[in-house]
Amino acid sequence: MTLSSAPGKVYLFGEHAVVYGEPAVPCAIERRARVGVQRRDDGKLRVHSKDLSLNGFTVEYDGSTSNGPDIDVSESLISAAMGYVDHAIEQVRDATDEDEVGFDVTIESDIPLGAGLGSSAAVVVAAIDAATRELGVTLETDELAERAYRTEYQVQDGQASRADTFCSATGGAVRVEGEDCRSLDAPDLPIVIGFDGGAGDTGKLVAGVRDLRNEYDFAADTVEAIGDVVRNGEDALANGDIDELGRLMDFNHGLLSALGVSSRSLDTMVWAARDAGARGAKLTGAGGGGCIVALDPTPETETALSFTPGCEDAFRAELSEKGVARLE
Ligand code: MEV
């Protein structure tokens, strides 16, 4: 058995707009997916997970998601998760020239599925890393990030940026603009996360922004305005100016709302955080439901969120300097 882990992330700035070539700044956080992999010579893929979702599932899987597992979570989430694992294994076969190889894959994750914290990127990065190593090949971080990106690109029908996968592979705060991916110096950020217990469908949300952008010039301008916010945010991050970072996060949330990717519960949590004195708050990731990220060095925001109706979990998150970790 070969075991790797990779971190989830929050977006300080720039989700959605990054799909259209604007810059984005995600930050890896200390919430991880751990993937254990063992070679099988019968070519099958068997995936086992106790905590990828709220309920455990195990599925004998031979390359199609049509024989869905009997489990109590949304079928689209499971089918998405299986799609990511399936395409990740395709990348492994390609990288190792072992076209017929199968695997037993065990996934443990403390990142909620589809909630904006980069669960799929973390699973994909850890799965590709563990499975290639299981076959005796250790990928450089750049190649790992690239192969994880290609996996997301395929699953998301060609609508994916390199931001989630690069951040998960390398750790820390990163800046992604098209193919240009680099690490950034970041101060200790007082990150607080609120989770509404729900999830958004990344593919649908990305497609919704694409349609708006095609229909209205002002939606295209909104996407570009997010890019301007990100560029200002990079300066604030370099200066360690938490107040300015917060103001810009508020602005970014407003622009994402205008693009239709917020939700009532995300807005409620954003306002609860602001009312509690957070320096700023915004949704993180694709939106539609899931998580918000706020900056607050005091305990107030976490406490307020934990009493906010519709907020299922509120917690602090440390920046994870480490990306992929090779455990066994
Ligand atoms: C999803 O975590 C982030 C999006 O920007 C999509 C992507 O970058 O691939 C919405």
Side-chain angles (χ1 to χ4, degrees):
M1 160 87 80
T2 309
L3 187 62
S4 296
S5 77
K9 55 110 222 341
V10 291
Y11 272 89
L12 288 182
F13 305 108
E15 54 272 86
H16 284 288
V18 69
V19 175
Y20 306 99
E22 299 296 340
V25 178
C27 269
I29 55 166
E30 264 317 334
R31 287 235 156 182
R32 292 192 160 250
R34 286 163 292 279
V35 181
V37 172
Q38 187 133 31
R39 176 189 188 117
R40 284 174 76 112
D41 289 321
D42 62 4
K44 284 198 176 171
L45 193 53
R46 183 177 189 278
V47 181
H48 174 80
S49 176
K50 274 207 305 285
D51 51 7
L52 189 59
S53 58
L54 295 178
N55 298 289
F57 70 92
T58 304
V59 54
E60 277 282 355
Y61 177 68
D62 57 8
S64 115
T65 49
S66 53
N67 301 328
D70 178 20
I71 32 123
D72 187 21
V73 284
S74 121
E75 215 171 276
S76 64
L77 272 184
I78 291 306
S79 153
M82 295 309 295
Y84 284 108
V85 176
D86 192 25
H87 282 89
I89 295 305
E90 279 308 312
Q91 288 297 324
V92 171
R93 291 182 177 133
D94 184 59
T96 56
D97 287 331
E98 294 232 32
D99 299 344
E100 305 290 323
V101 70
F103 295 99
D104 280 318
V105 178
T106 304
I107 303 171
E108 286 175 20
S109 174
D110 36 52
I111 313 166
L113 264 187
L117 299 184
S119 55
S120 57
V123 167
V124 167
V125 166
I128 294 177
D129 190 69
T132 46
R133 288 194 304 115
E134 171 75 3
L135 302 181
V137 175
T138 301
L139 300 179
E140 296 293 333
T141 310
D142 280 354
E143 184 177 351
L144 175 62
E146 178 62 27
R147 289 194 176 274
Y149 160 67
R150 283 190 220 156
T151 303
E152 289 218 326
Y153 185 86
Q154 281 170 322
V155 181
Q156 290 169 209
D157 289 332
Q159 298 178 102
S161 74
R162 288 179 158 75
D164 287 28
T165 40
F166 181 74
C167 184
S168 189
T170 59
V174 306
R175 177 191 198 276
V176 172
E177 182 172 7
E179 292 186 11
D180 179 34
C181 303
R182 56 184 74 177
S183 294
L184 294 177
D185 284 334
D188 242 358
L189 294 171
I191 296 173
V192 182
I193 291 170
F195 174 39
D196 68 5
D201 179 330
T202 301
K204 265 196 200 145
L205 290 152
V206 170
V209 173
R210 181 199 58 213
D211 292 348
L212 273 181
R213 193 171 160 271
N214 288 340
E215 189 167 358
Y216 300 112
D217 286 348
F218 52 78
D221 293 344
T222 304
V223 168
E224 280 180 30
I226 292 177
D228 291 336
V229 171
V230 180
R231 281 179 277 273
N232 281 275
E234 284 172 57
D235 292 340
L237 193 63
N239 297 331
D241 186 342
I242 307 286
D243 287 339
E244 179 69 357
L245 279 173
R247 266 195 301 276
L248 293 166
M249 285 167 65
D250 284 342
F251 212 113
N252 196 162
H253 182 77
L255 295 171
L256 287 165
S257 270
L259 291 173
V261 298
S262 192
S263 69
R264 186 182 290 267
S265 59
L266 293 173
D267 285 344
T268 302
M269 292 190 291
V270 159
W271 276 105
R274 290 175 184 163
D275 288 347
R279 308 293 166 84
K282 63 182 277 296
L283 68 84
T284 175
C291 292
I292 65 140
V293 53
L295 295 183
D296 188 354
T298 79
E300 301 298 325
T301 295
E302 190 181 346
T303 307
L305 283 171
S306 65
F307 287 105
T308 300
C311 176
E312 196 162 280
D313 197 10
F315 52 93
R316 275 201 175 276
E318 298 277 316
L319 189 103
S320 171
E321 288 301 342
K322 192 156 186 62
V324 68
R326 291 165 179 155
L327 305 168
E328 274 169 35

